[in-house]
Amino acid sequence: MAQTETLIVGAGLAGLRALYALREKGISAVVLEASDEIGGVWNHNRYPGARCDVESFDYSYSFSKDLEQEWRWSERYPTQPEILRYINHVADRFDLRRDVVLNARVNEAVYDEDRAVWMATTSDGRTWTANTLMLCLGQLSAPKIPSYPGQEDFGGEVIVSAMWPRRKVDFSGKRVGIIGTGSSGMQMTPVIAQTAAHLTVFQRTANYSLPAANAPLTDEEDARVKANYATRRDQIRNSPTGLGFQPGKVKTLDVSDEEREAALEKSYHRLGFGFALTFPDILLDAKANAVASDFLKRKMGERVADPVLRKKLVPNDHGFGTRRPSVDGGYFEAFARDNVELSDIREHPIVAFTPEGIRTDEKLHELDIVIFATGFDALTGALLKPRIVGRDGRTLAEKWADGPLTQLGLATAGFPNMVIVAGPGSPSVLSNVIVSIEEHADWYARMLATFRAQGIVEFEATEVAEKTWTDYVQQRAQETLYGTANSFYNGGEVAGKPRVFMPFSGGVRHYRQHLQKCADENYSGFEKRKTPAAQKSTEVHRHA
Ligand code: NA7
């Protein structure tokens, strides 16, 4: 049985950053990774066109000034291969690999109440013991794969975008179908269209998207950012979404039509996700949202010449930002190609797969390759995959049956010495996730170092604190328009999943203030014990 102070589960951006933070505090840790490579979602999502829709300067670690200066991003929005190279560079640069165990999927983690330790068993047959269990399993990392009648009879190849094969997939001469038009489907469409003989995009919901305005980064741009990186990082940490954009000060309807149009036009062309903050009320007020949505619908419509196609491709059932929008590189324009076809599966649903392809209630689409770009069981999916057993034999899946409960997005009562990085109850998917990851990693490292110095062997979120925080997360969400759509923010994307808004929508700056307050109050909302509660109760029992 192997032993360490902290077991980190997952070697993506979060797990590696947590390892670095813990080492800095002299806390030993081992990272267990299911795959044979580090990188998390950036290891698995190798589909053509995969890239981050946060600018590369900001989708990068801030913990090392040297790293910031040394690394040279090549484009404004980094591609998946470049991000994976970056992650591998960081792992080598800071000698992180020596504490990473690959091919070790955690199937089960059980809390031993008497000893206040976690015991984790992995797919390689080993058992690990640790004082603390730190879950760095990602937010959008448990793929959601639909099953259709006849799927097993399909004669072609089926590929899942989030489990993309390592080999090169050759689309030339192939008839390809993509199911799903979220960021993944939208990113791969224009790329695959270039080589496939024919591409059919199966769309259930038309999605909002802004043009990426991607470009190679010049040496001047690189030097300019690196000369002022600290200021840029500061702006990011103090912005609502961790992207550096501050909300406009004047409300949408408080400016003249000309001013409003000019402001929307400006942010449309420069800011990607910053568009949502052009005015402070776009995600808060239905009328303001309708104005921003109409602007974007017009813009998307201008990118599609065919009026019938335009009607299908422009969203009509939800407001901008109430589900995650996309930042695309030529998605709408791809439909002008002779070899690209849209299948509106809301109008003509998929009936079944056949040996030849996909049959909708309108026609048979003959296909050689079908790609599922159908998204993820977001936020809780990956956390609930391993069997995590807390106090009294209760599993995390049982505890969260009606939705996740957390104290400050950090931990959940009944699961002592277990923490979650960038999961439910924290800004997570509503933020530049790397900012949220770094915030948690450093905060936990300080917390664990403090507890060690204080002789605390067991810490546990209280039920009162987690109820207060979870209610607050709901209250903040109710102030927004997020509740008006089914999305992966609120469980609406998975049949049977509790419909609960999961991330904290109050912004990364506000969230950090809560974290700071918690730490300042010697980690309020947590019970801290020098003897495990189970031992104490045995003692009490004995004395009685
Ligand atoms: P998303 O954004 O969750 O998109 C998934 C897409 O797949 C979306 O268009 C779904 O339609 C569609 N979908 C899901 N299930 C089905 C079924 N059963 N049939 C047809 N279509 C389906 O995932 P992505 O991978 O694109 O992006 C995830 C994040 O990764 C992204 O936001 C970035 O953070 C990076 P629906 O809208 O549910 O009707």
Side-chain angles (χ1 to χ4, degrees):
M1 185 177 305
Q3 199 171 349
T4 181
E5 268 179 283
T6 305
L7 263 188
I8 298 171
V9 190
L13 281 165
L16 295 173
R17 181 62 177 83
L19 172 62
Y20 177 85
L22 291 172
R23 273 198 200 159
E24 286 289 286
K25 295 283 182 198
I27 297 169
S28 71
V30 167
V31 186
L32 301 177
E33 166 57 48
S35 175
D36 59 352
E37 271 199 47
I38 61 170
V41 292
W42 296 112
N43 169 32
H44 295 295
N45 285 259
R46 295 174 186 236
Y47 60 82
R51 68 169 78 230
C52 185
D53 40 24
V54 173
E55 288 186 61
S56 46
F57 288 121
D58 307 329
Y59 198 78
S60 58
Y61 292 127
S62 67
F63 66 84
S64 160
K65 302 281 165 262
D66 291 343
L67 174 66
E68 270 179 359
Q69 295 297 323
E70 284 161 18
W71 185 261
R72 175 67 164 85
W73 293 104
S74 64
E75 290 177 80
R76 184 179 189 194
Y77 293 100
T79 59
Q80 174 273 329
E82 192 164 20
I83 298 171
L84 194 56
R85 273 201 303 282
Y86 173 77
I87 295 171
N88 276 280
H89 169 75
V90 172
D92 293 332
R93 172 80 172 71
F94 298 94
D95 189 22
L96 299 178
R97 287 185 207 275
R98 70 183 148 90
D99 289 322
V100 177
V101 182
L102 299 172
N103 300 305
R105 176 181 294 281
V106 172
N107 292 325
E108 185 178 74
V110 180
Y111 188 64
D112 179 335
E113 296 184 50
D114 293 323
R115 294 190 297 144
V117 294
W118 281 93
M119 312 241 300
T121 44
T122 48
S123 50
D124 58 0
R126 287 211 267 179
T127 303
W128 292 83
T129 308
N131 305 83
T132 308
L133 183 68
M134 190 177 283
L135 302 174
C136 297
L137 288 159
Q139 303 71 32
L140 298 160
S141 49
K144 186 163 61 90
I145 308 166
S147 78
Y148 291 98
Q151 208 164 303
E152 57 294 337
D153 302 328
F154 176 54
E157 187 180 3
V158 174
I159 306 177
V160 177
S161 65
M163 298 156 65
W164 198 264
R166 299 276 171 87
R167 68 187 157 77
K168 184 170 168 13
V169 180
D170 185 6
F171 296 104
S172 47
K174 299 275 169 50
R175 298 160 303 175
V176 183
I178 298 173
I179 303 181
T181 53
S183 296
S184 303
M186 281 185 155
Q187 285 183 344
M188 68 177 77
T189 291
V191 183
I192 295 175
Q194 285 169 23
T195 49
H198 188 84
L199 174 63
T200 309
V201 177
F202 294 89
Q203 170 191 280
R204 189 165 70 179
T205 307
N207 195 8
Y208 286 88
S209 187
L210 291 103
N214 187 39
L217 286 171
T218 62
D219 288 341
E220 292 73 43
E221 172 86 345
D222 185 64
R224 191 178 56 74
V225 171
K226 285 176 177 170
N228 292 295
Y229 226 140
T231 311
R232 186 172 174 124
R233 297 287 196 194
D234 211 47
Q235 282 167 354
I236 279 175
R237 272 191 284 266
N238 289 299
S239 64
T241 50
L243 294 166
F245 304 117
Q246 289 299 337
K249 298 222 168 9
V250 193
K251 287 187 179 172
T252 308
L253 300 174
D254 289 351
V255 293
S256 70
D257 291 354
E258 294 73 33
E259 282 173 284
R260 184 183 312 119
E261 181 72 12
L264 291 170
E265 185 74 29
K266 189 167 170 233
S267 47
Y268 176 76
H269 285 292
R270 275 304 293 157
L271 302 180
F273 287 128
F275 181 82
L277 296 175
T278 313
F279 297 105
D281 50 355
I282 288 179
L283 287 173
L284 305 177
D285 177 74
K287 282 192 186 136
N289 187 270
V291 170
S293 300
D294 286 345
F295 175 90
L296 282 179
K297 287 181 197 178
R298 184 159 34 96
K299 288 292 185 190
M300 286 184 276
E302 285 167 8
R303 298 170 66 185
V304 188
D306 176 352
V308 178
L309 204 52
R310 188 187 307 139
K311 197 154 185 286
K312 292 178 194 292
L313 283 169
V314 171
N316 59 13
D317 63 353
H318 64 284
F320 165 70
T322 57
R323 321 177 82 218
R324 193 182 189 282
S326 204
V327 177
D328 73 278
Y331 174 72
F332 296 98
E333 291 76 6
F335 289 91
R337 297 176 66 109
D338 289 342
N339 67 333
V340 180
E341 176 184 355
L342 184 76
S343 171
D344 180 344
I345 55 173
R346 188 147 294 172
E347 192 181 343
H348 294 292
I350 294 176
V351 176
F353 278 50
T354 73
E356 297 80 26
I358 292 179
R359 184 182 293 288
T360 65
D361 72 7
E362 183 191 29
K363 68 176 200 181
L364 172 70
H365 296 266
E366 291 188 17
L367 300 166
D368 303 303
I369 300 175
V370 171
I371 299 168
F372 283 121
T374 42
F376 302 87
D377 181 353
L379 283 148
T380 51
L383 293 170
L384 299 182
K385 246 189 200 173
R387 189 168 174 271
I388 297 179
V389 187
R391 209 179 271 301
D392 301 324
R394 194 177 191 205
T395 64
L396 189 59
E398 286 163 354
K399 161 107 201 236
W400 286 4
D402 297 327
L405 293 161
T406 68
Q407 149 61 345
L408 263 177
L410 303 168
T412 189
F415 295 77
N417 298 5
M418 183 184 94
V419 291
I420 302 162
V421 172
S426 76
S428 185
V429 287
L430 295 180
S431 68
N432 171 2
V433 79
I434 207 158
V435 173
S436 294
I437 283 170
E438 293 207 290
E439 191 70 49
H440 268 177
D442 290 334
W443 194 89
Y444 286 137
R446 277 195 302 276
M447 179 185 83
L448 293 177
T450 305
F451 286 171
R452 189 165 66 178
Q454 292 175 347
I456 306 296
V457 299
E458 187 172 74
F459 62 91
E460 182 173 358
T462 68
E463 285 184 358
V464 172
E466 76 179 10
K467 178 162 186 340
T468 305
W469 181 252
T470 306
D471 287 349
Y472 184 56
V473 169
Q474 297 312 312
Q475 182 199 318
R476 292 304 301 245
Q478 277 154 19
E479 292 165 10
T480 72
L481 298 170
Y482 285 121
T484 60
N486 278 331
S487 71
F488 65 64
Y489 303 141
N490 60 24
E493 87 293 21
V494 176
K497 191 167 170 170
R499 177 82 193 251
V500 175
F501 192 81
M502 293 178 282
F504 175 63
S505 57
V508 294
R509 180 157 180 263
H510 184 191
Y511 181 69
R512 180 164 1 97
Q513 289 163 351
H514 280 279
L515 289 184
Q516 187 63 48
K517 181 165 179 285
C518 172
D520 289 347
E521 293 169 352
N522 193 25
Y523 301 97
S524 50
F526 287 91
E527 278 185 33
K528 289 140 299 211
R529 306 179 189 114
K530 293 187 174 171
T531 310
Q535 280 185 27
K536 264 194 203 149
S537 61
T538 319
E539 279 165 26
V540 172
H541 200 69
R542 251 188 250 126
H543 293 303

